[in-house]
Amino acid sequence: MGHTSVSSRRISPRGSPPNLRRTPPKIRKILVIKEKRAAETEDPVMDELLLASKLKRVDSATGCVSPRAPSTDIAPTVPPTSTTTATVPRPTQKAPKTPYVILPACDTFEKFRKTSRVSVDIGGTLIKVVYSSVMDDELPEEKNGQKRKYAYEDGKRVLVNFKKFTDLDRLINFLREVWTDRKAGDVIHCTGGGSYKYSEIIMKELGVRLQRTDEMRSLIYGVNFLLSTNVDESFTYHHDAIGLNKFQYRPIAADLIYPFLLVNIGTGISILKVDSPTSYERVGGSSMGGGTFMGLGSLLTPAQNFDELLEMANKGDHRNVDKLVSDIYGGSYDELKLKADLIAGSMAKCNRFGETPKKQVHKPEDIAKSLLLMVSNNIGQMAYLYGTRYNLKRIYFGGYFIRQDPITMRTLSFAINYWSRGEIEALYLKHEGYLGAMGSFLDEEGKLDD
Ligand code: ADP
């Protein structure tokens, strides 16, 4: 059962997750990895709305509203360091135009100043890359405590960059261009099914060794790192609010993060109950995820890619193709508390059996909208059930399917809120699609593929 969502508006450019920091000043040196723009079209760099520092922060643990500044005494909880590599002199480089985050200046990340770290998550649909670079110019928004937190004594900062690809050749070409200091014996961190399937190609083409991290472990490391390091990583979505109030940052103290449910919506869905960075269980999953939305969407509409399909969905009116409670009862069904606009049967109005002549024509936009609601409602309901089953109060949604889309987030949040009567909270992540790649980037104990 779902709700109706008649008029939805995209508020963000689609593509990459929003940056944590504003675009850096023009003149900046970047060492270690050469950031050369690939020929392919760039993703939008950031979502200005989500970046806006004016967004309300509501503490996830206490519910207190505060415009507080990010804390300055962060101790990142990442796996222990075990590798060191010799420094190779590198040319001055341009500032990144793709999204990045700045790592806190601490011993754990010191090694990334001397040698590049590259990690890839090769999934069923997309390839996500996370890689380091070093920048030694001032960032305008870094003041006092902030500066101390991010800059090493010599002023250098380590950036983590995010990029996605749809095919392996492009990924390899990109890495050949930007990973200039790589040498035989270096390691590329990998996760996802493609880290098995394409391991030989990757090693041969890049001339490096491959270190694999288990997919679930990568997800947990990634989400743990982002939640504990980036104060504004997670947020809630409030469709009926106006303007910036639609989003609320939900910071959470590192010691209060656990337990939670992680619902990762990629090609398929994985549902993880997470008790700590090292204690987690994949408690469920579903094959009806982002791959289903794309697959059915390309069968049923003329959309040529995910963005077009999502765009269509945002313009559509699902009431033309879905049967609502009102289509069956003539209004609401009060005995069961079913509202008139509740979806009773997804795409049930498309049934043409028995029609002579077969006359119905449905708009692709309406079909796309119905499809998106169908997939999202189903995930929302399932997430709620797992949340209740394990008595978890926070559900984080990850995976590239979400794309910070208002229909998707509204539907998921509605389902969680409606069924749990406000007891469980649906939370979203700025780096939703990069959890696995981020975790693999941090993992020091992956298995070498020789
Ligand atoms: P996986 O690791 O299985 O590839 P992801 O988290 O990368 O999973 O999510 C893949 C899903 O993201 C796709 O099935 C699709 O629904 C959605 N998606 C979002 N943007 C795109 C895009 N530009 N191209 C393809 N799929 C996209």
Side-chain angles (χ1 to χ4, degrees), residues 276-414:
S276 82
T278 50
S279 167
Y280 50 86
E281 190 187 346
R282 187 180 186 276
V283 290
S286 167
S287 61
M288 207 164 107
T292 314
F293 176 61
M294 283 227 296
L296 287 179
S298 50
L299 286 174
L300 299 174
T301 76
Q304 293 301 305
N305 55 46
F306 184 89
D307 286 37
E308 278 185 30
L309 187 60
L310 205 54
E311 195 75 49
M312 275 184 186
N314 275 274
K315 289 184 191 144
D317 182 345
H318 71 105
R319 296 171 303 181
N320 296 326
V321 295
D322 290 345
K323 264 194 187 161
L324 309 182
V325 167
S326 59
D327 292 316
I328 301 172
Y329 284 90
S332 58
Y333 182 36
D334 296 331
E335 282 82 345
L336 287 183
K337 295 199 180 107
L338 299 179
K339 284 193 188 161
D341 63 359
L342 220 55
I343 300 170
S346 292
M347 291 199 208
K349 281 185 187 157
C350 300
N351 167 29
R352 48 183 194 172
F353 294 148
E355 269 182 19
T356 338
K358 297 190 163 137
K359 57 179 186 310
Q360 60 153 338
V361 181
H362 292 291
K363 281 169 61 184
E365 288 82 1
D366 299 344
I367 293 172
K369 173 84 170 263
S370 166
L371 190 57
L372 185 56
L373 288 177
M374 183 177 86
V375 172
S376 308
N377 267 321
N378 201 51
I379 299 171
Q381 167 105 348
M382 197 169 54
Y384 154 73
L385 289 172
Y386 279 104
T388 311
R389 161 91 174 75
Y390 295 104
N391 196 24
L392 299 167
K393 300 295 176 219
R394 280 174 297 117
I395 301 179
Y396 289 99
F397 288 96
Y400 230 106
F401 166 73
I402 302 172
R403 292 283 296 270
Q404 290 150 12
D405 179 74
I407 300 177
T408 306
M409 295 194 299
R410 180 197 185 184
T411 311
L412 293 172
S413 294
F414 177 89

Side-chain angles (χ1 to χ4, degrees), residues 147-165:
K147 191 169 179 175
R148 199 160 21 93
K149 179 178 154 193
Y150 291 106
Y152 288 91
E153 276 174 13
D154 57 1
K156 289 192 168 50
R157 291 161 191 77
V158 177
L159 307 193
V160 176
N161 305 274
F162 302 85
K163 196 159 170 62
K164 73 143 192 349
F165 292 86

